[in-house]
Amino acid sequence: MRSDVATLPGSPERPNEDWAAAALPASGAGGTVVLLDGVTPPAGDDGCVHTVPWFTARLGGALTELSASRPDMPLPEILSAAIRRTAEAHRDTCDLSHVRTPQATVVLARWDETSVEHLVLSDSALLLEAPDGSVRAVLDDRLDRVPDEILRSLEATDRLRNREGGFFTAAADPSVAARAVTGTTPRTEVRALAALTDGASRWVDLFGAGDWAECFGVLRTEGPSGLLRRVRVLETADAEAGGVRRWKTHDDATAAYAELRDV
């Protein structure tokens, strides 16, 4: 397996809340990619004494360890166990029932000689490239279905956060794992894969600089860092032109890319 990961903070004044890892078992027979986008809370109380980077590091570490060491566990069970483990690490000090308790989007991909498993929760993206070069995007579009006028209100958004009819993220409730978009693809049908936080996927879904296949081409030829540089150029140009499509000029942006070994 060949893998590459790159990340850029949205602002030098704020810590990067994304988290990503790629792991290859010692046997070399498979691998796993984990990517999280921490949800930046609005100013005010969120019931937790810890930062979002603390949360994503704990959850990401648990997901990486479990997905690499427990091939017998399906990915939803792994996400559920990792959420439970992370919650136990701060249950005694924090109010985990708070609607804005630290949370994150999740992308998990794991493969062996026969199959590629995937799990996506909230608005990060997973791209699967077939041997013929076609690319399939695995997306959880529930947040995209929420009207903009609701998202502009913190209170209205909170009423839909981790609620039926709204959208779901990995926070403190292990049962949310059952809400993730999951699936399995035969190993022979996947040549490479990539995971993108929404700060990286905006090259396609916000700026329309290319489609998912063209995005994958950038990742293959320029690597994740090349895609992130392209995103920053577009963001800066849009801001200078008075663009109003984003509530902040730059977002934390992370991309992970893995070429799977031939079988």
Side-chain angles (χ1 to χ4, degrees), residues 90-263:
H90 66 140
R91 188 178 303 281
D92 292 341
T93 57
C94 306
D95 175 12
L96 303 189
S97 68
H98 197 292
V99 69
R100 297 176 188 169
T101 191
Q103 51 203 271
T105 74
V106 180
V107 174
L108 267 176
R110 181 176 63 181
W111 62 95
D112 57 20
E113 300 96 327
T114 62
S115 63
V116 179
E117 304 168 80
H118 67 257
L119 179 152
V120 177
L121 185 68
S122 200
D123 62 345
S124 291
L126 174 67
L127 307 181
L128 302 175
E129 185 191 43
D132 65 2
S134 61
V135 174
R136 175 164 63 101
V138 180
L139 307 171
D140 175 359
D141 66 354
R142 281 169 289 198
L143 182 58
D144 293 333
R145 298 181 213 161
V146 178
D148 287 343
E149 57 269 24
I150 291 179
L151 294 177
R152 283 192 285 268
S153 166
L154 296 178
E155 292 75 14
T157 300
D158 283 345
R159 287 194 290 270
L160 294 179
R161 191 182 302 278
N162 290 315
R163 297 288 188 273
E164 191 64 43
F167 61 96
F168 296 90
T169 59
D173 180 5
S175 70
V176 78
R179 304 288 188 170
V181 176
T182 60
T184 302
T185 306
R187 172 65 185 79
T188 54
E189 297 179 12
V190 182
R191 179 171 68 183
L193 57 84
L196 311 173
T197 62
D198 65 341
S201 67
R202 58 177 48 182
W203 191 82
V204 173
D205 53 31
L206 178 65
F207 292 111
D211 60 20
W212 292 118
E214 290 167 321
C215 180
F216 210 98
V218 173
L219 289 165
R220 180 180 293 282
T221 58
E222 302 177 26
S225 59
L227 176 65
L228 301 191
R229 284 194 297 270
R230 286 175 176 241
V231 169
R232 287 292 186 258
V233 169
L234 291 170
E235 290 171 331
T236 300
D238 185 60
E240 291 173 348
V244 294
R245 289 179 289 179
R246 301 178 313 283
W247 64 277
K248 51 186 174 182
T249 300
H250 303 299
D251 193 8
D252 295 340
T254 302
Y257 171 81
E259 292 180 356
L260 281 57
R261 191 181 66 177
D262 291 336
V263 293

